[in-house]
Amino acid sequence: MKQRRRRRKRQFTFLFPCSFTVCHFRVFSARCTGMALTVDGNKPPLRRRREDGEDDEAVVVKKDRTDASRLESCLDQPVDSSSIHEVIKYTPSLLPAKHYEVDTTEPISCGLQTLDELLSWRRSEANPFNVAVVPLAPREPPLASCPRRTLVSHDMMGGYLDDKFVQGTSAETPYAFYHWQYIDIFNYFTHKLVTIPPAVWTNAAHKHGVLVIGTFITEWSDGAAACEAFLKEEESYRAVADKLVQISHYYGFDGWLINIENILSEVAVKNTPLFLRYLTDQMHERVSGSLVLWYDSVTENGQLNWQNELNQTNRVFFDACDGFFTNYNWTEQNLEWMKDYSEIQGRTADVYVGVDVFARGKVVGGMFETNKALEVIRSHNFSAAIFAPGWVYETHDDKTEFRKNQDKFWALLSDYLYIHQPASPLPFTSSFCQGFGKAVYWRGKQETKRSWFNLAAQEIQPMYYHTELGGHGWLRSGGCPEDAWNGGCSLLLDGLIPASHTSPVCAKIFSLHVALASKTLVILIYKPSAGITVSLELKTSDVCTHTDTEDDRLTSVSPEVLYEGHPLVRQFSQLCGDLSPDGWTVGCLQLERSGCALREVCVSIQRSGDPQDTAFSCRLGEIMLLDVASLQAPPEPLQGLCIYDVVWLRGAGTSPESTSPCLRLNATLRWDYQTKLVRHFRVYWRRLRGPDPRTPPGQLVLVGRSYSNLFRVTELVVPEPPSLVELVVEPVIRSGFPVPESHWGRRSLSYTEDVTQ
């Protein structure tokens, strides 16, 4: 795989000629002492036996002993206190630079560069912010039953760009992926020895039932030396495999692409299949549904000789793992030969034929003709591995056209891709947010007015397409950041209904699998243009499992429209509070069907006037499906909020708006709440007291959104000491109903200057 790197450097300006002084020490809330022994920041540790003879619980205990030896513990705080106190001391920060930006202490994702770094990896020293909190969603059909799969290998400019910022970043024109319904496996690829996928990618993919795999790559002379070291004997290759398994298990992703692109000695190549088999078996044991794939590079004699097919020279590696990713310079003759290869029978779905979107070398298709390669691959019933589809972003100078180019690329491939349906329980909610935008919206109003990127904010994605209606009519579905209900964009349906088209235009929005309640409340928030009426059409199945038989028929149903005054509408309005839609229409509907699953969501658009060519648009802001029986379920309170890893900065800060030196608070917040219940958390702060005691307490000010039970406050300007501030966390639950303030998490922090310095 060809390496492409772009150096990325963030520029910082400070008023002081020297680096500002920092104070760091770690404090915990006494109420979170039970959480001090958690493994991944969200779940209590499970006792599992490890291959090195040390169980995971022992590792966790060691972690706390290490932290206690160098940092202040929550055990030092009063049990009955909701406040902690700090004396500001200017000492160097203890936060590891590989997990936190040095200048801002923002949490970041990273890979591992060397074999020593891999072998010395410990859970106690891992990055809790990069742990994926979204479990892999079930899907229909299951991956194992798909005869032809699609893998995307994301290789972009060296990797770890905007996506390395775990909590998101300001970005005018970022790259993102949102055509998840077309793919089955997502591989994050860089040329580091061990590529750990950023959690934002894993969270987004898992919502859509897509597996995420990291990359283990060796290349050039350094790679050859690493291979000779770890493939020399059973003990050494097992040690590497054990670490890869532990890393995948800890960070919550689903497997590995193994890419050995250097010559191997006789001993090393003999041990490679054993390494693969051991790694695959251990991954299957520890990570349900995991995959280990081998890239077409080295042959059984240890030579680096890309075959562009699976054959007798590389079959030994295929037999030892879950799948084979071919090189890109194949011809149709290669595929013809593989189709008849006896050793592949029964496993054609496990052969992923590589397609380089950059079209380097002698390849079929590539760029905006990648569909030609897919056509040939599918005609021979193989799976496909699409390498570097970020080409649509990298090679086009006008990044503002990214959405247009991305949608064009995947539309060209759509005839050769197979849509899978992510399964979701009720409540089901989507605001169509793609994980980036020009502003952050909340209930139709701008919450933050700046461009941003955070794939963790991406919600279940709709169908994107452009279709002809006959004559000169057309219909288009696309993300639009100019207005939104929640997040960064809405779904814009626009088109032209020709005069000859008298029936409603049906815009398919979702293909999914949601088990419905006997009574389901459906909420559609939208903005239609003049001259059209909008309604919902839902398609259900009387069976809740996927089959490909004639019996699996979809039934089209139109939910009952509920008007103002209906008891359910009144109940929803009371629970939801004042929506203040500002031009948005909030439609309430009810569907009564038991023992069935929702498979498709369609929006029906009908011309309301006389037959004539009618241009239209309909902006969809959000759709929600709620179990009527669960509307009154009381929300859970947020518990165990604690503050630690506090770093004080004094300076102008790194933001372009920062011009004067201020005292800035940086701290990690952690709390206990079931993440499956929430869309996100809103983090606030306010001044309670100080430095002037005559000044009344301030109002809550939004700091940001969190998509896990961790949040890093960075560069927050706070009053000069002595002062008392409060940090507050609000759960935003999936049903959309506000959680009472009494159920929010609160923690106050008092601080004074160190008078001894």
Side-chain angles (χ1 to χ4, degrees):
M1 296 185 178
K2 186 175 179 181
Q3 180 175 0
R4 302 187 309 281
R5 297 182 183 272
R6 183 184 69 176
R7 183 165 300 197
R8 183 181 187 274
K9 185 176 181 181
R10 304 182 77 205
Q11 300 294 328
F12 303 106
T13 303
F14 302 97
L15 291 184
F16 300 111
C18 300
S19 60
F20 46 65
T21 52
V22 299
C23 164
H24 172 286
F25 55 99
R26 183 169 179 148
V27 289
F28 282 86
S29 158
R31 287 182 293 167
C32 75
T33 52
M35 297 174 60
L37 298 182
T38 42
V39 173
D40 62 6
N42 300 289
K43 295 173 288 193
L46 301 177
R47 188 178 182 92
R48 290 187 173 92
R49 192 67 183 172
R50 290 154 33 122
E51 288 302 319
D52 56 9
E54 184 177 55
D55 61 49
D56 292 340
E57 188 174 68
V59 174
V60 177
V61 172
K62 287 184 178 181
K63 171 182 178 178
D64 285 322
R65 290 173 182 169
T66 302
D67 288 345
S69 66
R70 64 181 179 89
L71 300 171
E72 187 170 330
S73 168
C74 59
L75 299 177
D76 298 323
Q77 298 171 30
V79 175
D80 59 350
S81 173
S82 63
S83 177
I84 60 173
H85 177 73
E86 283 204 359
V87 176
I88 302 175
K89 298 180 180 179
Y90 296 99
T91 57
S93 168
L94 297 178
L95 295 173
K98 63 182 178 181
H99 296 323
Y100 298 86
E101 283 278 282
V102 174
D103 296 299
T104 66
T105 78
E106 294 175 84
I108 56 175
S109 303
C110 67
L112 307 178
Q113 297 277 19
T114 66
L115 193 59
D116 286 343
E117 194 175 359
L118 171 62
L119 292 173
S120 62
W121 185 89
R122 295 290 182 272
R123 300 170 71 95
S124 59
E125 299 172 1
N127 182 0
F129 280 95
N130 198 45
V131 173
V133 297
V134 179
L136 179 64
R139 46 167 281 178
E140 297 294 344
L143 181 64
S145 64
C146 292
R148 293 170 294 277
R149 305 165 189 161
T150 303
L151 178 150
V152 159
S153 186
H154 174 61
D155 174 30
M156 178 175 284
M157 297 180 284
Y160 300 111
L161 304 174
D162 291 327
D163 54 5
K164 78 175 182 179
F165 295 99
V166 178
Q167 296 182 168
T169 188
S170 297
E172 294 292 332
T173 53
Y175 173 81
F177 181 79
Y178 45 84
H179 291 83
W180 295 106
Q181 72 273 12
Y182 288 138
I183 76 168
D184 304 293
I185 304 162
F186 179 85
N187 164 237
Y188 195 83
F189 185 94
T190 76
H191 288 271
K192 297 180 184 297
L193 176 73
V194 178
T195 299
I196 301 170
V200 295
W201 283 105
T202 307
N203 286 330
H206 278 184
K207 289 177 187 176
H208 297 85
V210 174
L211 275 72
V212 176
I213 61 175
T215 305
F216 178 79
I217 184 173
T218 64
E219 50 191 343
W220 312 113
S221 57
D222 287 346
C227 286
E228 295 308 309
F230 87 87
L231 290 170
K232 63 183 179 180
E233 58 188 5
E234 181 179 3
E235 181 181 359
S236 57
Y237 73 66
R238 284 195 171 207
V240 166
D242 287 341
K243 291 300 180 182
L244 294 177
V245 172
Q246 292 166 24
I247 288 170
S248 176
H249 183 262
Y250 176 81
Y251 286 115
F253 60 95
D254 310 295
W256 296 97
L257 171 66
I258 306 299
N259 187 3
I260 306 296
E261 297 211 59
N262 47 256
I263 295 175
L264 296 176
S265 68
E266 181 179 351
V267 171
V269 76
K270 179 182 178 182
N271 283 329
T272 299
L274 302 177
F275 161 69
L276 279 176
R277 172 50 59 199
Y278 178 76
L279 172 62
T280 303
D281 289 344
Q282 293 301 306
M283 283 298 302
H284 291 176
E285 181 179 328
R286 293 294 297 273
V287 180
S288 177
S290 59
L291 290 176
V292 175
L293 305 181
W294 172 264
Y295 180 69
D296 168 20
S297 50
V298 173
T299 56
E300 63 181 355
N301 62 5
Q303 296 303 302
L304 182 59
N305 188 1
W306 299 271
Q307 297 296 292
N308 301 297
E309 66 180 21
L310 176 65
N311 58 36
Q312 197 62 30
T313 69
N314 52 32
R315 180 178 64 86
V316 64
F317 308 114
F318 174 63
D319 290 343
C321 66
D322 295 310
F324 186 88
F325 183 149
T326 79
N327 194 45
Y328 315 107
N329 303 117
W330 49 267
T331 64
E332 189 165 6
Q333 286 70 33
N334 294 113
L335 305 192
E336 287 280 0
W337 188 91
M338 280 198 298
K339 186 172 65 173
D340 297 327
Y341 183 38
S342 61
E343 300 299 331
I344 208 176
Q345 300 310 311
R347 291 191 65 190
T348 54
D350 297 333
V351 177
Y352 300 81
V353 179
V355 180
D356 182 7
V357 179
F358 277 78
R360 289 162 292 195
K362 294 182 179 180
V363 299
V364 177
M367 297 183 275
F368 280 126
E369 293 186 342
T370 299
N371 57 307
K372 293 182 178 180
L374 266 290
E375 181 180 13
V376 176
I377 293 169
R378 297 311 196 200
S379 70
H380 293 82
N381 293 320
F382 287 113
S383 295
I386 303 171
F387 183 73
W391 169 87
V392 300
Y393 180 90
E394 287 192 56
T395 61
H396 293 78
D397 293 334
D398 187 358
K399 306 303 184 189
T400 62
E401 294 290 301
F402 163 62
R403 276 189 175 95
K404 176 181 176 182
N405 292 327
Q406 172 110 310
D407 292 347
K408 174 184 176 181
F409 177 84
W410 288 97
L412 288 168
L413 301 185
S414 61
D415 287 344
Y416 310 104
L417 303 174
Y418 307 100
I419 294 174
H420 71 265
Q421 302 170 328
S424 172
L426 293 177
F428 171 84
T429 305
S430 179
S431 65
F432 315 103
C433 178
Q434 295 174 329
F436 65 107
K438 297 179 179 180
V440 178
Y441 289 82
W442 175 245
R443 292 191 168 186
K445 301 182 185 301
Q446 288 190 357
E447 187 174 82
T448 305
K449 298 181 180 180
R450 67 171 182 269
S451 295
W452 63 279
F453 169 81
N454 186 353
L455 282 177
Q458 191 179 91
E459 301 206 334
I460 297 293
Q461 289 299 287
M463 314 287 288
Y464 298 105
Y465 53 85
H466 185 288
T467 187
E468 302 298 325
L469 297 179
H472 52 280
W474 55 276
L475 169 66
R476 178 174 57 194
S477 163
C480 180
E482 302 306 323
D483 195 5
W485 179 255
N486 183 33
C489 73
S490 54
L491 180 66
L492 184 64
L493 304 175
D494 62 347
L496 177 70
I497 305 174
S500 59
H501 197 99
T502 57
S503 58
V505 173
C506 184
K508 185 176 178 180
I509 304 304
F510 285 113
S511 178
L512 69 175
H513 191 282
V514 177
L516 295 173
S518 57
K519 289 185 179 181
T520 303
L521 179 64
V522 182
I523 308 296
L524 180 66
I525 301 174
Y526 62 101
K527 280 186 179 181
S529 60
I532 62 171
T533 59
V534 176
S535 59
L536 266 185
E537 180 181 349
L538 307 178
K539 295 185 179 181
T540 66
S541 171
D542 289 333
V543 292
C544 292
T545 55
H546 181 88
T547 66
D548 294 319
T549 67
E550 292 291 329
D551 295 330
D552 188 33
R553 300 182 183 278
L554 300 183
T555 302
S556 181
V557 295
S558 297
E560 175 193 359
V561 177
L562 306 180
Y563 296 99
E564 189 174 353
H566 190 283
L568 264 183
V569 176
R570 290 200 305 267
Q571 184 182 6
F572 176 76
S573 299
Q574 291 169 358
L575 291 170
C576 212
D578 181 20
L579 291 178
S580 303
D582 191 22
W584 294 89
T585 298
V586 180
C588 297
L589 309 96
Q590 181 179 221
L591 179 65
E592 294 191 42
R593 287 182 70 84
S594 59
C596 68
L598 177 64
R599 294 296 185 84
E600 292 183 5
V601 177
C602 304
V603 172
S604 182
I605 299 171
Q606 176 76 57
R607 179 175 43 226
S608 56
D610 296 331
Q612 59 180 323
D613 289 352
T614 305
F616 72 90
S617 68
C618 181
R619 186 182 301 277
L620 303 184
E622 187 160 277
I623 185 169
M624 293 191 292
L625 290 91
L626 309 172
D627 182 357
V628 171
S630 301
L631 292 182
Q632 294 286 10
E636 293 189 7
L638 187 145
Q639 297 179 331
L641 176 61
C642 54
I643 305 171
Y644 60 99
D645 282 350
V646 174
V647 175
W648 295 98
L649 306 179
R650 185 174 290 280
T654 62
S655 168
E657 296 84 12
S658 301
T659 57
S660 59
C662 301
L663 181 64
R664 300 174 185 274
L665 171 66
N666 304 265
T668 295
L669 307 184
R670 181 177 180 174
W671 56 89
D672 184 22
Y673 204 87
Q674 292 189 65
T675 53
K676 68 179 182 180
L677 301 178
V678 298
R679 299 174 75 172
H680 59 268
F681 300 91
R682 293 154 63 89
V683 179
Y684 306 88
W685 86 281
R686 66 169 174 163
R687 182 186 54 78
L688 293 179
R689 185 174 64 250
D692 186 343
R694 295 169 297 181
T695 306
Q699 298 295 314
L700 287 178
V701 177
L702 182 67
V703 178
R705 292 183 178 186
S706 174
Y707 297 87
S708 74
N709 286 351
L710 286 171
F711 184 77
R712 182 73 186 166
V713 175
T714 59
E715 299 190 291
L716 177 64
V717 177
V718 294
E720 291 295 317
S723 290
L724 176 68
V725 297
E726 184 179 43
L727 294 163
V728 180
V729 180
E730 173 195 8
V732 178
I733 59 178
R734 291 174 59 197
S735 65
F737 305 147
V739 173
E741 285 196 35
S742 60
H743 286 44
W744 298 7
R746 296 176 181 273
R747 191 77 168 146
S748 55
L749 171 68
S750 62
Y751 51 94
T752 55
E753 198 79 62
D754 183 10
V755 296
T756 64
Q757 290 188 335

